């Protein structure tokens, strides 16, 4: 089918949930994705943070081939070797004790919320005073299922589906005083992303995350770190919280975990793990042999190729080049991030939208989050040369826009 035929068929047949760009992709190699005309696009978004090893990775392809010949699915009624193999790798790297596997980010988050409420229930049985409220952060994004959506900040995600799950309060981002004011023994968990992704690539301050840890520990509440976007090496460490020297009670992983095969994971401490017993939670597909085998291969490949170090090195270079660009283009008002999760905040939503479209015309994929923030989530195999290509394109776009709309004009206004 041609692009126009697909578009027409989708418009007739699919639920209206996406506003897709008119591009039809058929393949890819390394950091480039290829459309049906054979045109290559430099992908600085990697399928929203999923394709960490890029496209056409031989190790992933071999793992899929090997495991699909052996066994694709068993259900969780029986054993296969994949979950233990993967749990060993993940718990060691994240500094956690136990794992649960599922199929997506939002599912991992649901499991984390259920663990927190069940854990508080156990503490109450043991005579502790602890409630069921969650403290989430303003601008947070945790997914689209009911619990995840209810702990996601923006009204547009929650309001059409009200009533949402009760017992969630939002704390102002990085506002320690607000956190202290809203915390009490009614709270069963504080929910954070060490670097907010959809919220505009915003890292938490050391002070805020340390206070969240201390407050939670003071009552037996949990600190839950959503690492679905910023985890699995993207920031240069396996988990972004490791930059802060703090340890959450639960963390959630997904996006790059299984190299593009859908998979989510929840990791937790032994203390939290006692909240679940057989039958309290489960999934038909989660932790299947195929996804586990690929995830193991992805982790091994990241280590073999030293990709966490590359994420740090090339990410720092990317940020430094964006800062230099900001000196020449006042439309860039902030550059932030860690490793290869990077945001460049612009002074208008209109300019941000136009920049994404102009980058696309130059065959470079990025997107815009929180209206004004250009977001870069490239594969971990990115090189400085790719960064230079992106920076040159941005330079050209901002120069053209500055000429078309001098300061005080519509776009930069
Ligand atoms: C921080 C965070 N949590 C949860 C999710 C939800 O993940 P999924 O789309 O796999 O359900 C996302 C997705 O973007 C995310 O960025």
């Amino acid at each position: 089918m041609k692009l126009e035929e697909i578009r027409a068929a989708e418009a007739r047949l699919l639920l209206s949930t996406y506003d897709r760009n008119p591009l039809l992709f058929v393949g890819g190699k390394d950091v480039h994705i290829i459309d049906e005309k054979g045109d290559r696009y430099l992908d600085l978004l990697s399928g929203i943070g999923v394709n960490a090893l890029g496209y056409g990775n031989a190790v992933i392809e071999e793992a899929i081939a090997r495991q699909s010949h052996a066994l694709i699915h068993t259900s969780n009624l029986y054993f296969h070797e994949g979950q233990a193999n993967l749990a060993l790798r993940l718990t060691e790297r994240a500094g956690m004790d136990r794992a649960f596997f599922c199929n997506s980010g939002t599912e991992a988050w649901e499991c984390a919320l259920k663990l927190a409420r069940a854990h508080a229930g156990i503490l109450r049985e043991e005579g502790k005073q602890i409630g069921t409220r969650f403290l989430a952060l303003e601008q947070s994004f945790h997914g689209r299922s009911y619990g995840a959506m209810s702990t996601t900040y923006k009204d547009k995600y929650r309001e059409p589906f009200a009533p949402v799950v009760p017992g969630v309060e939002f704390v102002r981002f990085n506002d320690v005083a607000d956190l202290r004011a809203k915390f009490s023994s009614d709270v069963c968990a504080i929910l954070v992303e060490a670097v907010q992704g959809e919220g505009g690539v915003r890292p938490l301050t050391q002070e805020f995350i340390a206070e969240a840890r201390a407050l939670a520990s003071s009552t037996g509440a949990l600190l839950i770190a959503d690492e679905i976007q910023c985890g699995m090496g993207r920031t240069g460490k396996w988990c972004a919280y490791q930059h802060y020297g703090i340890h959450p009670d639960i963390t959630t992983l997904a996006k790059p975990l299984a190299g593009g095969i859908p998979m989510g994971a929840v990791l937790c401490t032994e203390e939290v793990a006692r909240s679940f017993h057989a039958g309290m939670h489960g999934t038909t597909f989660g932790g299947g042999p195929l996804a586990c085998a690929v995830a193991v291969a992805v982790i091994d490949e990241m280590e073999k190729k030293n990709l966490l170090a590359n994420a740090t090195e090339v990410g720092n270079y990317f940020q430094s080049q964006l800062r230099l660009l900001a000196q020449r283009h006042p439309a860039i008002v902030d550059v932030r991030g860690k490793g290869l999760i990077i945001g460049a905040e612009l002074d208008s939503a209109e300019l941000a939208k136009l920049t994404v479209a102009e980058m696309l015309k130059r065959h470079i994929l990025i997107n815009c989050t929180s209206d004004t923030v250009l977001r870069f989530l490239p594969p971990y195999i990115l090189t400085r040369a790719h960064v230079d290509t992106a920076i040159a394109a941005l330079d050209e776009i901002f120069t053209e826009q500055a000429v078309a709309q001098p300061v005080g004009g519509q776009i930069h206004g």
Side-chain angles (χ1 to χ4, degrees), residues 128 135 176 179-180 183-185 187 190 192 205-224 244-249:
K128 273 211 159 172
L135 290 187
V176 171
L179 175 66
R180 283 193 192 124
F183 186 82
S184 72
S185 60
V187 171
I190 303 175
V192 300
T205 59
Q206 178 70 39
E207 194 196 359
F208 187 91
I209 202 163
E211 185 64 14
R213 176 66 280 175
L215 286 171
S217 298
S218 71
T219 62
L222 305 180
L223 178 65
I224 308 184
Y244 296 85
I246 61 104
H247 202 273
D249 303 285

Side-chain angles (χ1 to χ4, degrees), residues 315-370:
N316 287 343
Y317 177 69
F318 205 156
Q319 279 207 50
S320 70
Q321 294 306 102
L322 283 168
R323 290 209 172 86
L324 287 177
L325 204 60
Q327 286 173 12
R328 291 205 303 285
H329 299 290
I332 306 175
V333 295
D334 194 21
V335 174
R336 50 185 185 251
K338 275 192 201 307
L340 288 175
I341 174 167
I342 299 173
E345 183 158 357
L346 306 187
D347 63 0
S348 87
E350 198 186 341
L351 180 63
K353 203 169 162 205
L354 184 139
T355 305
V356 172
E358 286 294 319
M359 289 290 269
L360 189 60
K361 281 190 200 157
R362 289 162 176 79
H363 287 191
I364 302 174
L365 304 186
I366 61 170
N367 87 338
C368 168
T369 185
S370 279

Side-chain angles (χ1 to χ4, degrees), residues 53 59 85-90 93 232 238 256-257 292-305 308:
L53 302 185
V59 169
N85 273 339
L86 180 57
L88 186 64
R89 281 170 175 73
L90 291 176
R93 282 156 189 78
M232 283 305 292
W238 285 107
L257 182 54
C292 287
V294 179
V296 165
V298 166
I299 292 171
D300 292 350
E301 178 73 353
M302 283 182 188
E303 285 182 337
K304 195 166 148 211
K305 296 272 165 65
L308 273 59

Side-chain angles (χ1 to χ4, degrees), residues 48 104-107 141-143 193 198 226 228-229 254-255:
I48 323 187
S104 67
T106 201
E107 266 182 76
F141 183 88
H142 298 297
E193 294 161 77
E198 304 299 311
D226 182 343
I228 288 163
Q229 189 160 146
K255 291 183 181 285

Side-chain angles (χ1 to χ4, degrees), residues 96-155:
M96 291 287 179
D97 298 319
R98 287 179 185 255
F100 173 82
F101 297 111
C102 52
N103 311 286
S104 67
T106 201
E107 266 182 76
W109 195 246
E110 292 298 319
C111 174
L113 298 178
K114 286 174 74 174
L115 271 171
R117 288 233 168 118
H119 181 254
I122 288 186
L123 294 187
R124 279 193 298 279
E125 276 168 26
E126 293 171 353
K128 273 211 159 172
Q129 200 202 331
I130 185 158
T132 56
R133 282 170 63 229
F134 292 113
L135 290 187
L137 297 195
E138 292 192 358
Q139 312 309 330
S140 62
F141 183 88
H142 298 297
R144 311 276 193 157
S145 48
Y146 256 91
M149 172 184 82
S150 307
T151 53
T152 287
Y153 179 66
K154 284 187 185 147
D155 287 345

Side-chain angles (χ1 to χ4, degrees), residues 328-331 347 398-399 401-413:
R328 291 205 303 285
H329 299 290
D347 63 0
F398 291 130
T399 304
Q401 287 313 307
V403 172
Q405 300 284 343
V407 177
Q410 247 186 341
I411 287 193
H412 294 172

Side-chain angles (χ1 to χ4, degrees), residues 96 112 115-116 222-225 248-252 266-269 272:
M96 291 287 179
L115 271 171
L222 305 180
L223 178 65
I224 308 184
D249 303 285
I250 305 178
T251 192
T252 51
V266 181
L267 306 177
C268 67
T269 61
V272 173

